[in-house]
Amino acid sequence: MGIAVNPHPAKRDKGGEDAATITESFIALADGVGGWAESGIDPAKYSRQLCKNIQGLIMYDNGVKYMCNPKLLCVEAAELTTETGSSTCVIASLDKEAPILYTSNLGDSGYLLIRVTDKDVVSIFRSKEQTHGFNFPYQIGTNGDDPSRADTQVHGVEHNDILVVGTDGLFDNVYDERIMELIKPFVRGSNDMEDPTVVADVIAREAEKLGADQTYLSPFAKGAREQFYDYMGGKQDDVTVAVAQIKLV
């Protein structure tokens, strides 16, 4: 697996407001809600502490307790997070004993599960956003939503399946079909994907480029128009992308 973190251009000096934790079997991304800045609170503090707590809970027993229940990991990490603020949170965990992927997703971050065939790469699942309204995602933290409301999924996976996990800076700007187009050149004849870090970086750069294009009908712009907002272009934001290829022994 690999990860790319591209902060919003205006937030690059402080590292943005996204946070991540990645281990052999877990991927967790948190996107600090930027609105807290209007109250003088750094949105990054909550997302970073949340991910630090996720990492600590995983390390406690090598993730055994949470491997088949990433929602519980989200709930217990949120209980330990004391910073003022809030964030979205998506967690994916791969069972070490069976070809099963478990996910927990609260808010508008998400993931795309892709199957590699001899001829193509195809989408087999795309997570759905949880929002109270347009551009108002579910979030955990101060005055936030109950983390137990996170959407959970269980996926049977196959050798060489590819998982793309991203904050909304990815999915607001890049359509699923384009993500798969970007991945395809990196899949070799044996269906092995080349360096996932490079793939994550390519996808993140595409999201950053499209986010700055004000003539592009982005997924965000399409969603805005469906809600009768007059909006055109990408949506500049922090972009965090994790890419993993599943290897079954």
Side-chain angles (χ1 to χ4, degrees):
M1 62 179 68
I3 189 168
V5 180
N6 286 21
H8 186 294
K11 304 173 185 177
R12 197 155 286 161
D13 59 334
K14 68 165 194 166
E17 296 161 358
D18 288 354
T21 289
I22 293 185
T23 72
E24 182 183 14
S25 297
F26 289 85
I27 296 173
L29 304 184
D31 178 359
V33 175
W36 286 100
E38 297 172 6
S39 302
I41 294 166
D42 182 356
K45 289 186 176 181
Y46 185 91
S47 57
R48 289 172 184 170
Q49 189 182 54
L50 179 67
C51 280
K52 183 177 180 180
N53 289 333
I54 288 172
Q55 184 175 29
L57 290 169
I58 293 170
M59 292 176 62
Y60 183 75
D61 67 349
N62 204 25
V64 172
K65 178 179 178 182
Y66 307 104
M67 194 168 296
C68 302
N69 192 353
K71 180 191 280 190
L72 180 62
L73 177 58
C74 178
V75 169
E76 295 191 354
E79 289 174 350
L80 294 171
T81 304
T82 57
E83 289 284 354
T84 299
S86 58
S87 79
T88 65
C89 184
V90 56
I91 305 174
S93 58
L94 183 65
D95 193 331
K96 290 184 178 180
E97 305 298 328
I100 301 176
L101 180 75
Y102 299 88
T103 64
S104 169
N105 185 34
L106 188 137
D108 58 1
S109 294
Y111 65 95
L112 177 64
L113 185 58
I114 298 166
R115 182 142 298 156
V116 180
T117 70
D118 290 336
K119 296 181 179 179
D120 208 350
V121 295
V122 295
S123 169
I124 58 175
F125 187 84
R126 165 72 145 82
S127 62
K128 292 181 172 58
E129 295 181 353
Q130 288 181 313
T131 62
H132 296 287
F134 178 69
N135 204 28
F136 181 17
Y138 283 25
Q139 53 200 269
I140 52 177
T142 309
N143 302 322
D145 298 287
D146 185 340
S148 67
R149 297 183 68 184
D151 177 70
T152 58
Q153 299 289 334
V154 180
H155 306 284
V157 292
E158 296 182 4
H159 189 61
N160 287 330
D161 282 355
I162 296 170
L163 179 66
V164 179
V165 186
T167 55
D168 66 327
L170 169 61
F171 295 111
D172 279 345
N173 290 301
V174 188
Y175 289 97
D176 297 354
E177 295 79 8
R178 180 56 178 158
I179 292 174
M180 291 187 287
E181 287 176 3
L182 293 170
I183 288 173
K184 195 171 181 180
F186 293 92
V187 178
R188 298 189 293 266
S190 60
N191 290 341
D192 287 328
M193 183 174 60
E194 295 178 33
D195 189 347
T197 300
V198 173
V199 178
D201 185 61
V202 167
I203 295 171
R205 287 176 183 271
E206 180 78 353
E208 184 176 35
K209 180 187 77 173
L210 294 174
D213 184 348
Q214 297 307 303
T215 65
Y216 164 60
L217 183 60
S218 65
F220 182 83
K222 185 177 179 182
R225 292 182 172 204
E226 289 171 354
Q227 297 299 317
F228 308 105
Y229 291 96
D230 183 17
Y231 188 93
M232 185 65 179
K235 179 175 178 282
Q236 283 193 304
D237 200 353
D238 297 330
V239 179
T240 301
V241 182
V243 176
Q245 186 168 41
I246 295 168
K247 296 294 183 179
L248 304 178
V249 179

